[in-house]
Amino acid sequence: MVTNEGSPTSGEALVELDVFPPEQHRRWTVLLRLLLAIPHLIVLYALGYAAFVVVVCGWFGALVLGRLPEWCGEFLRGYFGYAARVYGYLGLLVDDYPPVWTAPDYPVRLEFPAPTPLNRVAVFFRLILALPILVLSYWFSIGWFIVAFILWLIVLITGRMPGAVFEATSAVLRIEMRVSTYTYLLTPAYLKGVFGDKVAAPAPMPGAPMPGAPMPGAQMPGAQIPGAPVPGASLTQPAPQSPTRPLLVSSGGRALLIVMLVLGILGSIAQFTTNRGNDDDYADSISSSRLAAQVTIDYIDDTGHTPQHVSCPSTLGAEIGATEICTVTDNGREIRAQVTVDAITDGAAHFRTVIERQD
């Protein structure tokens, strides 16, 4: 569907998520969930490239027209609707296998706001404006994947997803979809409802006294009070369209979301640190530990002996001609090894080792 009229945030052009979870999960599908989802992940990966090309075209079109071209919006809505179904299935929110592209009756679906004019300045700087919420969405996604194994075990053993887990997982999926659709120009509305929706206070009944107003005078027996319900009539509030609209997150679900966010931040820091530590070839210098490791390998290849110890006193500059002398200890002898950078290809430094010959 394209419009989200009647949702608690319909006036804000936000994408809404509907999830209808099963009463009981089939344990065999839970056990094989990742394996079963692989074909869809491959298709989604390929479609992601197409979506990128479409949004680039749509970006230029929105700068000229002040709105996203219709064909771009139609493709991107189909792509993100499919992505929501795949991620909802992978996240154990539902048990039904997702169909490709259109699926109006699938228990995970997105409702998009009606196409609306876009601010050209906001379109021009869209990637910069989206950067903070892209990082936030990334942290939540990383945090969810860190605890995913525990969540998978819970559903596998019990056949059910606990309420707090369902709320937190739905919130993470909705965050990702709202951030993505904003970044891809499907909506001008910035991310809201990170920790769920707030329940609006019910409107007063027609004819009911306002707080602090004097009580109306006594009525004659049998007289009808203005605005009072007709005897026998029922007053019912419209039922929510799904358990996730509005998305009411309990204290347990909020706590789990906070845990996911903290784990996501820590995980991204650890990933960044690890990548920096394992990427010496692309640094301004090559660490002494990496030099020692490479000299060890070269020494074994050259002599057939495994040295007791290799010591390189300092780092080696990643520039052609840079040289460092390392010391190899083998059978009590100290042997010099000269390391020289002789080439730099695609930012990676390549060096050769010359072992001093011993009589």
Side-chain angles (χ1 to χ4, degrees):
M1 299 180 68
V2 177
T3 61
N4 60 0
E5 298 178 0
S7 69
T9 54
S10 59
E12 302 181 47
L14 287 167
V15 170
E16 295 293 347
L17 173 69
D18 286 331
V19 180
F20 298 89
E23 293 185 2
Q24 187 77 23
H25 286 266
R26 293 170 294 176
R27 287 180 174 85
W28 74 268
T29 67
V30 174
L31 178 65
L32 303 175
R33 185 59 53 96
L34 182 58
L35 184 63
L36 293 172
I38 287 177
H40 283 293
L41 292 174
I42 294 173
V43 173
L44 195 62
Y45 181 80
L47 287 174
Y49 285 100
F52 177 77
V53 173
V54 169
V55 76
V56 170
C57 297
W59 183 80
F60 284 105
L63 285 178
V64 175
L65 303 173
R67 58 178 175 80
L68 189 67
E70 183 177 349
W71 68 271
C72 295
E74 183 177 354
F75 178 86
L76 293 175
R77 281 189 290 270
Y79 168 72
F80 283 113
Y82 176 51
R85 293 192 294 274
V86 173
Y87 294 149
Y89 178 75
L90 186 62
L92 302 175
L93 289 173
V94 294
D95 203 44
D96 295 346
Y97 198 68
V100 179
W101 213 245
T102 58
D105 297 326
Y106 191 75
V108 175
R109 50 182 175 261
L110 294 180
E111 282 204 20
F112 298 90
T116 182
L118 299 174
N119 184 299
R120 289 181 174 86
V121 176
V123 170
F124 186 80
F125 293 103
R126 181 55 56 99
L127 191 58
I128 297 176
L129 294 172
L131 183 60
I133 55 176
L134 283 169
V135 173
L136 182 65
S137 175
Y138 174 76
W139 284 341
F140 273 114
S141 298
I142 290 296
W144 185 88
F145 276 107
I146 291 175
V147 300
F149 180 72
I150 298 174
L151 306 183
W152 175 78
L153 278 180
I154 293 173
V155 180
L156 180 63
I157 294 171
T158 65
R160 297 175 182 274
M161 177 173 280
V165 176
F166 173 81
E167 295 161 2
T169 302
S170 298
V172 171
L173 178 57
R174 192 175 73 166
I175 290 168
E176 185 172 348
M177 290 297 104
R178 285 185 172 180
V179 170
S180 298
T181 52
Y182 172 79
T183 306
Y184 278 64
L185 304 174
L186 283 173
T187 172
Y190 212 62
L191 174 65
K192 292 185 179 180
V194 172
F195 292 96
D197 297 321
K198 295 181 180 179
V199 181
M205 293 290 296
M210 297 296 293
M215 294 296 294
Q219 301 294 322
M220 293 297 292
Q224 179 67 38
I225 300 175
V230 178
S234 61
L235 294 175
T236 58
Q237 296 294 331
Q241 300 188 42
S242 74
T244 57
R245 188 145 49 117
L247 180 56
L248 305 179
V249 181
S250 64
S251 57
R254 241 180 238 110
L256 184 54
L257 278 172
I258 293 173
V259 169
M260 290 178 180
L261 178 59
V262 172
L263 289 176
I265 294 173
L266 295 177
S268 62
I269 293 174
Q271 184 180 27
F272 176 77
T273 304
T274 302
N275 289 340
R276 285 290 300 272
N278 293 335
D279 201 21
D280 289 332
D281 282 352
Y282 293 87
D284 294 332
S285 61
I286 304 168
S287 68
S288 58
S289 61
R290 174 163 173 74
L291 284 178
Q294 187 61 47
V295 169
T296 301
I297 295 173
D298 293 341
Y299 184 83
I300 295 172
D301 291 341
D302 188 62
T303 66
H305 298 166
T306 301
Q308 283 83 36
H309 181 67
V310 175
S311 173
C312 297
S314 61
T315 60
L316 178 64
E319 56 184 17
I320 296 177
T323 302
E324 182 59 62
I325 301 298
C326 298
T327 302
V328 180
T329 303
D330 185 14
N331 291 328
R333 297 179 303 166
E334 290 188 351
I335 304 170
R336 287 162 47 95
Q338 179 175 298
V339 182
T340 304
V341 176
D342 57 4
I344 297 179
T345 306
D346 296 330
H350 304 276
F351 49 91
R352 56 186 172 85
T353 305
V354 177
I355 308 296
E356 183 181 81
R357 292 297 176 182
Q358 298 292 318
D359 295 333

